[in-house]
Amino acid sequence: MSAGPILELKNISKQYHGELALRDVDFALKGQEIHSLVGENGAGKSTLTKIISGVVSPTKGEMFLDGQLVSFNNPAEALQRGIAMVFQETSLIPSLTVAQNLYLGEEKLYNRLRGLYIAAQQFLQSLNFPVDPTADVSSLGAAQKQMVEIARAVHHNARIIIFDEPTATLTPEEKSHFFALVDRLRKDGVAIIFISHAIEEALAISDRITVLRDGQRILTEPAANLDRDKVITSMVGRTLSNELYKQEGKRVPRPYGRKVLSVQNLSMGKMVRNTSFSIYAGQITGIFGLIGSGRTETAKVIAGVLKRNLFYGGEISKDGERVRFRVPREGMKKGIIYVTEDRKLEGFFETMTIAENIQVHMLAKSSTSEVIVRRSRVKELAEKWRKRLNIRATSSGARINELSGGNQQKVVIAKGLVQQPEIVILDEPTRGVDVGAIAEIHQLIGSLADQGLAVILISSYLPEILNTSDRILVCRQGRIVEEFDADAVTEKMIMYAAVH
Amino acid sequence: MMPWLRSKVDNFIGSGDAALAVPPMDGALKPNRALDACKTGFAIQAPDDLCVWNGILLVSSGKGLFSIQRADAGVQAVLHRTYENEITAIAADAAALAVAFADGDILIEGGRHDGRRISLAEAGKVRNPTAVTFLGAEHLAVCVGSARYAHMDWQRDLLERGSSGSVWRIDLQTEASVCLADGLAYPYGIMPLGDGHSILVSESWKHRLLRLDATRPSSPEAVLNDLPGYPARLHGDGVGGAWLALFAPRNQLVEFVMREPEYRDLMMSSLAPAYWIAPSLRSRGSFLEPLQGGGVRQMGMLKPWAPTRSYGLVIGLDRNLQPRRSLHSRADGSRHGTTSCLASEDQLIIASKGGNEILFCDLRGQS
């Protein structure tokens, strides 16, 4: 490892729509170093690496590469200067071959596929990657896709490679292969930034570790000086969040109601692995897990958004009856709704009004196929929910994209609740929502449980899980690994279960 | 889809009855060490059923009926009476005691019908009483676990997916019996419900509790499904709820063997029952036995979450017959095979048939 930093960031801040994602962060990467970035979801890791790789520009601060002040307007500029980013979800084109992906963007006027394959074969062999250059990327496993991504970065003479959660979808064998590969890259002179929720992995392979929390750098230390406890304590120690979630007196968890949902040995691909748990009426069951832990996929399988494995995919029972939903509509009819974590992509039609969005979801529940929809009834329904959820808009005729994030989220929740569900799955319901709306959404979630509904709250934000849930399940590597009573658990215990 | 086709498809893709899925122990059933933590208890060979008769706590064990008495040195079991046949269930009301035997006879002691012996046995049919309870002073309700196999052969009945059990109402005056329900998969526990006309029955092989009309034949109504173990005896808790003992856990390997008839038949014909892949009341500590520990033993220590054939589990049910709390003896514990439990003031008295112990659990710390 060389002594001086090859990349240095000073006082970097980044603001998104008035909210600070990063605040005065200093970061330095030395040559031939593996530097891990760890922190909870929303701590600012991705924002920091996006700034380094030119995906976004900082609001404030400076970046130095080899001592020179630099500023990238796009990822291509960063790549030209030797900085490449390997995303968790690979950016490869699945319908093209490995070789075509490797040389994407360098196509000549006349391309001879055979020549491309020979060049790719030689290049992959020089890296000792056992990947067939003629294979379609869609046919590759997660580790092989990572290899192609890495090869592409090396092909562009990257001196700094950023890995975002590279091991989340890998099997243990693939992981060990990947770590050997990373070590080899370092020996070849590449500096590596490694983002991971797996603390043990970060401790094992890193030279130094930086912990981010609430957009601030908490510590940077050699990995040898750290242990898991110290890292976790740095990750979960609260400042701002304590203000929002401070408890006034001891909260008494709601008692178990009827068991309404039983998930038994559920499996879906590599993301949900033989997981089992129960959900009770009149309670908020919090599910905590880091990104890639499979909690969202589990929820989607329950609601019929995703399908479990056809062979030995496990069982889901609702009120003692086995259910298997092929589409979400079947789940809705059985009283299960899933409120998505990605409201912009999956939550609403942004060009439609509040009333139209709510009406669209009513169609899923309705057993009668009404040909004519009465506008007055749609409006009446939407106004009812607008008032009930305190959606701040001029009227229910307002377009969704005119609303703030918090009010958009309330519309998404209203779309679910309008179907009078028995089981409500809320996936990251307060992500990207302002502080005032967070409190209102939490109040709403509590009132749903008080009405006897079974509420599943998925969140990566520990204070939210701790202060809203009556019972907490922890998801890791595709399965529920721990269950806590809300009145006898600490943030540290939950995080330990999530990463250990 | 036609049932036979459904069954074939389920077997092929591993869904439905062939899913090999086992309900988790979570929520109110979250594992703990409460049974192993019970300090008071005393050793007795294979205690099976419990009841309180005339203020005396009785426990059945083999052919003997023991009374549990307090002594200077703690609690001790005093032999109350020995019978010719093995006792399979006992129950008491204010005055009378009912003792059921493996041969299908039921003996009444005390009360108006003192000395009456009622036989359930029929020609060509096994009568295997597994639980009894009084329905007032004049009637008795009896669970018959299996019409095919005797009490000792319960593993065989389970592996063959037996469903020849039944529940009977017997008039003690006339000895007339009415079948309240049949075709049940090993009914193993019974108690009258507070409404005065229903009874609660545990159907062991189907892992559920059923509500039955206590006065006439009726279709059973499932009130609690998908228990994570095999339920045994039920007793009221005195405040409208109940205590349910489960004598063994469900596990995926047993479920798998049960859906593979050729393997199962070969296993049952060529191995001693102790080594069958089947639920068990206890671990015999033999390296020959299947699964116990499931290989999760390190440096001689068995991990509590190891896959296991035997377990100790007692569940407290509320007025709505939903689990509220539970007491466990996990894979590394010894108080397994809990076949009966009885609430008495602030104590729960538990018969651990597999652990050869009677346990006294202080409930004040368990809520």
Side-chain angles (χ1 to χ4, degrees):
Chain A
M1 199 186 346
S2 62
I6 56 166
L7 177 75
E8 200 169 6
L9 283 78
K10 287 183 179 169
N11 296 321
I12 293 285
S13 295
K14 177 67 189 174
Q15 208 167 17
Y16 287 113
H17 309 294
E19 270 192 53
L20 273 172
L22 283 178
R23 277 188 290 173
D24 298 324
V25 172
D26 293 333
F27 178 77
L29 179 71
K30 297 175 184 175
Q32 286 188 300
E33 177 189 39
I34 299 178
H35 195 135
S36 284
L37 275 179
V38 296
E40 283 186 275
N41 300 339
K45 308 181 298 284
S46 292
T47 307
L48 186 66
T49 50
K50 279 177 184 170
I51 288 170
I52 295 170
S53 60
V55 177
V56 295
S57 302
T59 313
K60 198 183 92 184
E62 293 170 325
M63 182 158 64
F64 297 90
L65 187 63
D66 295 325
Q68 286 182 328
L69 184 65
V70 289
S71 136
F72 304 129
N73 294 317
N74 53 54
E77 283 184 22
L79 196 58
Q80 273 179 355
R81 297 296 301 267
I83 300 175
M85 184 154 179
V86 177
F87 291 93
Q88 184 186 356
E89 297 301 328
T90 61
S91 54
L92 303 174
I93 299 171
S95 56
L96 296 183
T97 63
V98 170
Q100 284 170 323
N101 267 283
L102 268 179
Y103 296 100
L104 197 67
E106 297 172 27
E107 291 85 358
K108 294 164 190 159
L109 189 61
Y110 172 71
N111 294 286
R112 203 164 58 98
L113 213 52
R114 189 158 163 259
L116 202 67
Y117 288 149
I118 291 168
Q121 177 77 20
Q122 286 171 345
F123 181 62
L124 288 166
Q125 273 181 354
S126 73
L127 293 171
N128 202 15
F129 287 176
V131 184
D132 176 6
T134 64
D136 282 346
V137 163
S138 58
S139 68
L140 301 182
Q144 287 186 312
K145 282 181 188 164
Q146 289 279 3
M147 286 177 190
V148 179
E149 281 272 13
I150 294 163
R152 202 157 70 162
V154 176
H155 172 66
H156 289 107
N157 297 319
R159 294 184 300 136
I160 298 170
I161 300 181
I162 304 164
F163 290 104
D164 188 2
E165 285 286 340
T167 54
T169 54
L170 302 189
T171 63
E173 195 183 343
E174 287 171 338
K175 274 182 197 172
S176 71
H177 199 98
F178 171 76
F179 291 139
L181 204 147
V182 167
D183 200 42
R184 207 163 64 228
L185 286 173
R186 175 175 53 174
K187 283 175 185 155
D188 290 345
V190 178
I192 285 155
I193 299 173
F194 180 76
I195 302 177
S196 180
H197 284 304
I199 310 287
E200 277 188 358
E201 288 174 9
L203 285 166
I205 71 159
S206 309
D207 298 308
R208 288 194 302 159
I209 292 177
T210 289
V211 179
L212 293 176
R213 187 177 74 223
D214 291 335
Q216 287 179 301
R217 185 175 66 88
I218 302 302
L219 66 83
T220 299
E221 283 207 35
N225 297 349
L226 295 170
D227 58 25
R228 190 189 301 109
D229 278 352
K230 198 171 174 185
V231 174
I232 290 172
T233 307
S234 307
M235 283 166 69
V236 299
R238 296 272 162 227
T239 51
L240 283 176
S241 42
N242 278 349
E243 293 300 311
L244 181 61
Y245 293 98
K246 69 181 171 194
Q247 290 269 7
E248 287 171 9
K250 196 169 171 62
R251 198 169 62 86
V252 180
R254 295 172 186 86
Y256 297 106
R258 189 171 44 89
K259 183 156 89 171
V260 288
L261 189 78
S262 177
V263 175
Q264 299 173 16
N265 307 101
L266 187 73
S267 295
M268 191 213 68
K270 288 183 178 177
M271 292 309 292
V272 182
R273 302 176 193 198
N274 202 22
T275 191
S276 300
F277 58 93
S278 310
I279 299 295
Y280 300 88
Q283 254 198 348
I284 301 171
T285 302
I287 302 184
F288 178 81
L290 300 170
I291 283 174
S293 61
R295 45 195 195 142
T296 293
E297 289 78 5
T298 304
K300 284 185 169 179
V301 173
I302 291 170
V305 181
L306 297 174
K307 286 180 192 167
R308 72 184 107 154
N309 290 352
L310 179 62
F311 292 94
Y312 296 93
E315 286 290 326
I316 298 170
S317 304
K318 185 183 170 285
D319 291 324
E321 180 195 350
R322 287 188 186 121
V323 291
R324 184 171 196 146
F325 308 129
R326 284 157 189 84
V327 289
R329 189 180 185 197
E330 292 178 3
M332 287 173 188
K333 285 189 171 175
K334 285 279 182 188
I336 302 176
I337 60 146
Y338 169 74
V339 177
T340 178
E341 64 176 331
D342 192 346
R343 61 173 175 266
K344 290 208 163 126
L345 196 67
E346 302 170 348
F348 50 69
F349 297 98
E350 61 179 1
T351 53
M352 285 164 70
T353 64
I354 298 172
E356 287 164 346
N357 266 287
I358 290 174
Q359 174 63 21
V360 163
H361 251 54
M362 277 300 281
L363 297 177
K365 175 84 176 180
S366 174
S367 52
T368 59
S369 49
E370 290 181 349
V371 180
I372 300 168
V373 178
R374 275 192 289 149
R375 200 168 276 276
S376 59
R377 220 173 74 186
V378 173
K379 193 177 171 192
E380 188 186 327
L381 185 74
E383 279 299 326
K384 182 181 129 191
W385 283 97
R386 188 171 77 84
K387 283 180 186 147
R388 191 165 159 192
L389 301 191
N390 195 21
I391 298 168
R392 290 188 192 90
T394 48
S395 73
S396 58
R399 284 191 179 192
I400 293 272
N401 55 9
E402 293 166 1
L403 306 181
S404 70
N407 287 306
Q408 286 178 344
Q409 186 64 27
K410 285 184 198 169
V411 174
V412 179
I413 294 172
K415 283 174 66 182
L417 297 183
V418 77
Q419 302 175 66
Q420 298 174 317
E422 292 168 47
I423 300 170
V424 182
I425 306 172
L426 298 157
D427 197 352
E428 302 281 6
T430 57
R431 178 184 283 175
V433 169
D434 59 282
V435 174
I438 288 175
E440 283 181 327
I441 290 171
H442 285 168
Q443 214 173 7
L444 170 69
I445 293 170
S447 71
L448 294 176
D450 291 338
Q451 288 164 30
L453 271 65
V455 182
I456 302 175
L457 170 68
I458 299 174
S459 177
S460 350
Y461 197 47
L462 274 172
E464 180 171 55
I465 284 279
L466 262 175
N467 292 290
T468 317
S469 312
D470 302 306
R471 173 173 167 252
I472 296 165
L473 304 175
V474 181
C475 191
R476 179 167 55 83
Q477 292 183 346
R479 70 171 70 177
I480 299 296
V481 292
E482 190 60 273
E483 179 189 11
F484 295 109
D485 294 327
D487 55 350
V489 67
T490 62
E491 288 189 4
K492 211 169 164 181
M493 286 160 74
I494 297 175
M495 187 57 99
Y496 195 86
V499 300
H500 186 62
Chain B
M1 197 183 288
M2 286 173 282
W4 67 269
L5 184 59
R6 177 78 262 170
S7 154
K8 294 281 177 202
V9 171
D10 282 348
N11 241 21
F12 182 62
I13 66 173
S15 68
D17 286 335
L20 309 182
V22 171
M25 287 190 194
D26 63 359
L29 306 182
K30 187 179 170 189
N32 54 43
R33 293 179 177 275
L35 286 182
D36 287 314
C38 294
K39 285 181 184 162
T40 46
F42 64 89
I44 180 168
Q45 189 64 37
D48 185 35
D49 203 358
L50 298 162
C51 74
V52 176
W53 183 43
N54 289 335
I56 301 166
L57 177 63
L58 295 175
V59 54
S60 64
S61 168
K63 293 178 180 174
L65 193 60
F66 294 83
S67 64
I68 295 166
Q69 295 174 359
R70 297 204 176 272
D72 294 340
V75 185
Q76 63 179 25
V78 176
L79 184 64
H80 175 76
R81 194 173 161 186
T82 307
Y83 299 91
E84 286 179 3
N85 272 310
E86 189 182 346
I87 303 167
T88 56
I90 53 174
D93 74 347
L97 171 73
V99 184
F101 299 100
D103 63 358
D105 283 3
I106 298 170
L107 178 68
I108 306 296
E109 284 189 29
R112 284 182 54 199
H113 306 288
D114 185 28
R116 190 176 291 270
R117 199 171 188 103
I118 303 157
S119 181
L120 292 170
E122 273 178 41
K125 276 200 169 181
V126 176
R127 287 293 186 218
N128 168 5
T130 51
V132 285
T133 191
F134 280 92
L135 303 172
E138 296 299 320
H139 293 91
L140 207 58
V142 184
C143 285
V144 173
S146 169
R148 294 178 65 201
Y149 293 112
H151 184 65
M152 296 302 289
D153 280 337
W154 61 268
Q155 285 175 313
R156 190 179 291 276
D157 194 61
L158 166 67
L159 290 173
E160 292 183 358
R161 293 181 184 269
S163 58
S164 57
S166 51
V167 178
W168 296 78
R169 176 189 168 97
I170 296 167
D171 187 324
L172 292 175
Q173 186 68 42
T174 62
E175 296 188 21
S177 56
V178 176
C179 180
L180 298 175
D182 61 0
L184 301 181
Y186 213 80
Y188 199 169
I190 191 165
M191 65 170 265
L193 286 171
D195 60 11
H197 58 82
S198 307
I199 49 173
L200 188 65
V201 172
S202 67
E203 193 181 15
S204 206
W205 302 164
K206 288 197 174 165
H207 329 287
R208 61 180 183 174
L209 300 185
L210 304 172
R211 192 200 307 265
L212 291 176
D213 191 322
T215 56
R216 59 190 172 82
S218 60
S219 299
E221 176 202 353
V223 290
L224 183 61
N225 280 302
D226 234 1
L227 287 159
Y230 298 91
R233 273 51 174 264
L234 283 154
H235 285 105
D237 64 0
V239 288
W243 284 99
L244 170 67
L246 290 92
F247 66 92
R250 293 169 68 180
N251 74 48
Q252 286 181 288
L253 185 57
V254 174
E255 306 270 329
F256 178 72
V257 169
M258 283 167 67
R259 51 154 280 195
E260 296 294 333
E262 283 177 27
Y263 176 88
R264 182 194 64 198
D265 294 345
L266 186 63
M267 175 184 80
M268 287 164 60
S269 63
S270 56
L271 289 176
Y275 305 120
W276 289 353
I277 297 171
S280 167
L281 293 174
R282 66 181 68 84
S283 165
R284 292 171 174 80
S286 162
F287 69 91
L288 290 171
E289 71 180 45
L291 191 67
Q292 196 78 19
V296 192
R297 189 186 287 271
Q298 287 177 4
M299 303 295 284
M301 275 183 66
L302 184 63
K303 300 296 179 188
W305 59 86
T308 175
R309 291 194 303 148
S310 63
Y311 199 87
L313 176 57
V314 171
I315 301 175
L317 306 173
D318 65 11
R319 286 167 181 273
N320 300 318
L321 303 174
Q322 297 300 313
R324 274 290 157 268
R325 54 181 161 175
S326 58
L327 296 83
H328 299 242
S329 176
R330 303 178 72 183
D332 60 336
S334 59
R335 289 158 167 181
H336 290 187
T338 42
T339 50
S340 187
C341 57
L342 194 63
S344 169
E345 295 170 359
D346 285 332
Q347 274 193 330
L348 188 66
I349 303 144
I350 301 154
S352 166
K353 195 170 183 179
N356 297 322
E357 260 187 294
I358 293 290
L359 311 173
F360 294 86
C361 244
D362 188 350
L363 288 177
R364 283 169 297 190
Q366 300 290 336
S367 56

